[in-house]
Amino acid sequence: MAGLCAVSNLATAQAPLTCYGSQQFAVNADFGSTVSGVGDINGDGVPDLLVASASYGPVHHSTYRGRIRVLSGAAPDTVLYQYTGGDYTHSNPFGGPEIHGDYMGWNEETADGLGDIDGDGIGDFIFSSRYYDTSGDNNAGAVWVKSGATGATLYSYTGSSGHFLGLSVRAAGDVDGDGTPDFVIGSHLADPGGVTDAGKATVYSGATGTVIWTLVTPPTAQAQQDNLGVSVSGVGDVDFDGFDDVLVGAYRSNVGASLDHGSVSVFSGQFGTLIYRVDGAAPGDQFGRFVSGVGDIDGDGAPDWITKPSGNGLEEIHLYSGPSASLLGIATAPQSGQWH
């Protein structure tokens, strides 16, 4: 089977709406590698779905071009829009040609609904191909922002060689206070200030597509290979200044000489400056590999956030207060969803 996605109504506990990777959805294509809501883009009164198949290939899944589809929420076998990655043939040192695909929609954070950024009343969306090549087999990465109304490209961005632009792309809320949703793109292998693999996250205006802020760690030796921008997310207004703020993970950052603790930084939407940083507890935790804003969990009227470490065999979700950065709880597999 190619995979499936299921959407449940949590309020009514109705049986889930299930969309299978069958018929026009290719076998072994990793259907559902990325999923997101995009709002009602076809005007039928039902929200629609953004679904990726990261390993899709036209002949065999080993080409890994990847594919993004927007599916009707009312009839999920109905494709509203479809986008397919490319591939590049290069020599294999062990002999013969090798096909390297774009991996469009490669992981859980490579596609997202953005809300209405072009003012036509219909939600728009973003997706990426981290292995996109701008010249030969250079893994620059690319990101596209598409119109929900027409499927046409509103904005597009390509990275520099080896930077894997777009490993994480997410809605950021209204960062600049102009009333239009904005978005953030991670480039975790970028070299800002000449610091190798320090990484960065760039916040773009939804209204114009131009850069609002480039978020980086200070260019010090400690920032080398931090991989800032490996995960990015909007978080809401944590400092109560009327501007939405931005959450950025750096899962390879160090604490002094202690390696790979990882960290999560919250940056001001108004000023682009660091509000606070939370470090992982132990070397090798790789704290901040996945981050997300989650709204007001603790009922204090302010948004909170979560992160998942990826090292040391940790299977945990850490919940933090947005305003204070205090730890609210940890959910650990295989427990039954209780914070402790």
Side-chain angles (χ1 to χ4, degrees):
M1 182 183 292
L4 61 86
C5 64
V7 182
S8 297
N9 186 325
L10 298 182
T12 63
Q14 291 176 343
L17 167 70
T18 304
C19 41
Y20 291 94
S22 57
Q23 300 174 9
Q24 71 265 44
F25 304 112
V27 173
N28 295 324
D30 287 338
F31 181 74
S33 56
T34 298
V35 294
S36 177
V38 292
D40 178 17
I41 66 172
N42 63 350
D44 64 356
V46 179
D48 301 308
L49 310 172
L50 185 62
V51 182
S53 301
S55 298
Y56 170 81
V59 178
H60 186 266
H61 72 279
S62 64
T63 59
Y64 298 122
R65 287 186 176 186
R67 173 170 279 178
I68 297 285
R69 283 187 167 107
V70 180
L71 306 179
S72 165
D77 273 344
T78 300
V79 178
L80 303 178
Y81 301 122
Q82 175 175 288
Y83 310 92
T84 302
D87 54 35
Y88 172 75
T89 302
H90 60 100
S91 60
N92 186 326
F94 300 101
E98 181 175 315
I99 299 176
H100 166 81
D102 283 351
Y103 275 99
M104 181 177 283
W106 181 77
N107 76 355
E108 299 89 341
E109 300 181 57
T110 51
D112 202 9
L114 296 180
D116 178 18
I117 68 172
D118 58 0
D120 62 2
I122 298 174
D124 307 304
F125 54 96
I126 186 172
F127 60 85
S128 65
S129 294
R130 65 170 294 197
Y131 285 102
Y132 180 87
D133 300 319
T134 56
S135 177
D137 182 23
N138 71 344
N139 297 328
V143 177
W144 296 266
V145 177
K146 297 286 187 175
S147 163
T150 67
T153 300
L154 299 176
Y155 313 121
S156 63
Y157 309 91
T158 54
S160 299
S161 181
H163 285 182
F164 292 101
L165 181 74
L167 179 64
S168 183
V169 296
R170 304 288 285 279
D174 184 8
V175 171
D176 56 2
D178 65 355
T180 299
D182 305 308
F183 54 94
V184 56
I185 298 174
S187 184
H188 70 297
L189 296 182
D191 308 319
V195 181
T196 303
D197 295 347
K200 66 180 181 179
T202 307
V203 182
Y204 291 89
S205 164
T208 66
T210 56
V211 175
I212 300 173
W213 303 116
T214 299
L215 309 176
V216 299
T217 306
T220 63
Q222 187 174 357
Q224 290 187 15
Q225 299 180 339
D226 275 1
N227 292 170
L228 185 80
V230 70
S231 185
V232 298
S233 178
V235 67
D237 182 12
V238 304
D239 57 358
F240 306 105
D241 63 356
F243 295 82
D244 287 333
D245 305 309
V246 180
L247 193 62
V248 185
Y251 81 132
R252 298 292 306 278
S253 66
N254 305 326
V255 175
S258 189
L259 303 180
D260 290 353
H261 282 246
S263 63
V264 175
S265 296
V266 176
F267 289 89
S268 165
Q270 183 176 10
F271 301 111
T273 51
L274 183 66
I275 299 174
Y276 59 75
R277 166 174 154 165
V278 178
D279 292 310
D285 274 0
Q286 297 187 346
F287 187 78
R289 176 59 186 87
F290 299 98
V291 300
S292 183
V294 291
D296 181 14
I297 298 294
D298 58 357
D300 65 354
D304 305 308
W305 54 271
I306 58 173
T307 185
K308 181 190 181 301
S310 62
N312 290 334
L314 295 174
E315 296 186 24
E316 301 175 347
I317 301 295
H318 294 227
L319 172 66
Y320 284 83
S321 163
S324 70
S326 58
L327 180 64
L328 299 177
I330 298 175
T332 306
Q335 309 221 0
S336 58
Q338 301 227 349
W339 296 110
H340 64 91

